[in-house]
Amino acid sequence: MRAIAVSEYGATPSVTDLPLPEPGPGEILVKLVAAGLNPVDWKIADGMLKDSVDAAFPLVLGADGAGVVESVGPDVGRFAPGDQIFGQFRDLARGGGSFAEYAVIDQDAPLARMPQGLIYSQAAGVPLAAMTGYSMVHEADLDVGKVVLIVGATGGVGQFAVQFAMNLGAHVIATAHPDMDAEMRRLGAAETVDYGRADIGEQVLANHDGIDAIIDLVSGPQEVDALTGLLRPGGAYVSSIGAANPDKLASQQLRGVNVHTPGTPELLATIADMLDASKIRVAVSREVPLEDAPAAIAANRQGGARGKTVIRI
Ligand SMILES: NC(=O)c1ccc[n+]([C@@H]2O[C@H](COP(=O)([O-])OP(=O)(O)OC[C@H]3O[C@@H](n4cnc5c(N)ncnc54)[C@H](OP(=O)(O)O)[C@@H]3O)[C@@H](O)[C@H]2O)c1
């Protein structure tokens, strides 16, 4: 089967021919139709987890995907051949991932039935970004009328976070360059701030004397320190890149949370229900064939994401 893999950490991802994997006890073989690209895919290829996980090489990249169950191993009760599913297919110990024609994965991995009305390329863009956006909004403890700044709102996680926050009745301020202003408002932002034009904090304070939460997908510790001054006492700073310092924030009567999203089947099913009910939608900004995935991965490193990049398999 064709797959996008690296031969070692730090190697350039390339189209690779690999043997078809076989499902063992409790495992399913899935024929993937589409895969979703996330920044963590190239971070892992670079070696982000090399000291904590023993990965097998060649290592197929990608976690998010959508497809059809081809066959099941012994003791599988959760899925049957023909089921249309989406979710996370990364298996570092086996060298498995979603940028491949087939993947074998444990039936208890974060997998769920395909949301109604979504095509595979849309469903493949959902799992990590939506589960992370959901977790960050939950950690921010939002409610009707609370004011939240979302930094990095135009990317994969950010676009879901905007929608989850809006659904809770929060007043959402989204960072966005002018080309994304209208789209951010359609997703539920009440205001946008353009970080390319002026300091984000100054733009927020022009309309608010303080805010209740910051959900931040991009800022490092120094920028976090600078934005912390926007928060009212009791406010929350939620980072997806480990940049919040909970102890330091606690000393300022604030709450700091660094989210790590170990996806679960239950959370993914909740998100599938919200997609079914049209409470959220997925924004796929770019679709490429499998052989162009290495170029798409290189482009993702450069930033400028406008929603999700999806790989057609
Ligand atoms: N902890 C976890 O479990 C977890 C889970 C998922 C993701 N993450 C991490 O969270 C980060 C975001 O993920 P993602 O999938 O949303 O990435 P993404 O799709 O690449 O989106 C990032 C967005 O941030 C914008 N941006 C860049 N610099 C900015 C700045 N200074 N101010 C405001 N916006 C800025 C980018 O657009 P412009 O460049 O045009 O501004 C882009 O729209 C990544 O580092 C990822 O690895 C962590």
Side-chain angles (χ1 to χ4, degrees):
M1 66 168 188
R2 286 178 315 140
I4 304 299
V6 290
S7 53
E8 59 181 335
Y9 285 129
T12 304
S14 62
V15 182
T16 310
D17 203 20
L18 295 173
L20 191 67
E22 279 189 26
E27 294 177 338
I28 59 175
L29 174 70
V30 177
K31 181 172 175 31
L32 290 155
V33 180
L37 174 60
N38 289 287
V40 73
D41 299 329
W42 49 261
K43 292 181 187 180
I44 287 176
D46 287 352
M48 180 179 98
L49 299 177
K50 71 173 186 295
D51 296 330
S52 51
V53 181
D54 209 4
F57 292 89
L59 176 64
V60 177
L61 303 188
D64 289 354
V68 183
V69 177
E70 178 90 358
S71 62
V72 302
D75 309 323
V76 169
R78 202 174 157 224
F79 296 108
D83 286 352
Q84 300 178 314
I85 63 170
F86 79 126
Q88 299 198 289
F89 295 87
R90 186 165 0 251
D91 183 349
L92 293 173
R94 188 200 294 264
S98 63
F99 298 177
E101 289 178 300
Y102 293 88
V104 158
I105 193 75
D106 193 291
Q107 64 172 341
D108 295 326
L111 303 167
R113 61 168 177 78
M114 279 274 291
Q116 293 158 18
L118 255 61
I119 57 175
Y120 290 105
S121 57
Q122 292 171 314
V126 170
L128 182 65
M131 289 194 283
T132 305
Y134 187 98
S135 304
M136 294 183 85
V137 167
H138 175 75
E139 293 291 354
D141 195 22
L142 299 177
D143 205 343
V144 177
K146 285 200 177 174
V147 181
V148 57
L149 168 67
I150 301 181
V151 183
T154 45
V157 177
Q159 293 205 21
F160 281 111
V162 168
Q163 298 177 77
F164 290 128
M166 182 273 290
N167 279 329
L168 291 173
H171 179 101
V172 177
I173 309 169
T175 58
H177 291 309
D179 65 314
M180 284 296 283
D181 182 273
E183 178 61 5
M184 287 294 105
R185 289 174 193 271
R186 274 194 290 275
L187 290 175
E191 296 173 47
T192 63
V193 289
D194 176 7
Y195 79 89
R197 182 170 65 83
D199 180 76
I200 295 176
E202 284 171 18
Q203 293 180 70
V204 171
L205 290 176
N207 293 328
H208 303 269
D209 56 8
I211 63 175
D212 301 294
I214 299 174
I215 289 176
D216 198 327
L217 291 318
V218 293
S219 304
Q222 276 188 335
E223 290 111 342
V224 167
D225 281 349
L227 289 174
T228 295
L230 296 174
L231 291 171
R232 296 184 181 118
Y237 205 117
V238 186
S239 168
S240 70
I241 59 166
N245 182 332
D247 292 340
K248 195 169 171 182
L249 287 159
S251 72
Q252 300 168 272
Q253 282 74 55
L254 299 169
R255 212 159 41 80
V257 183
N258 293 306
V259 293
H260 300 285
T261 309
T264 64
E266 294 76 20
L267 177 51
L268 195 59
T270 299
I271 285 164
D273 288 345
M274 294 179 85
L275 287 159
D276 285 349
S278 301
K279 288 189 177 153
I280 53 168
R281 64 182 165 89
V282 53
V284 174
S285 59
R286 188 166 177 222
E287 233 181 290
V288 300
L290 187 68
E291 47 277 17
D292 290 348
I297 293 165
N300 190 263
R301 285 178 186 273
Q302 305 306 315
R306 298 287 180 268
K308 298 296 304 179
T309 294
V310 166
I311 296 157
R312 279 192 313 274
I313 295 166

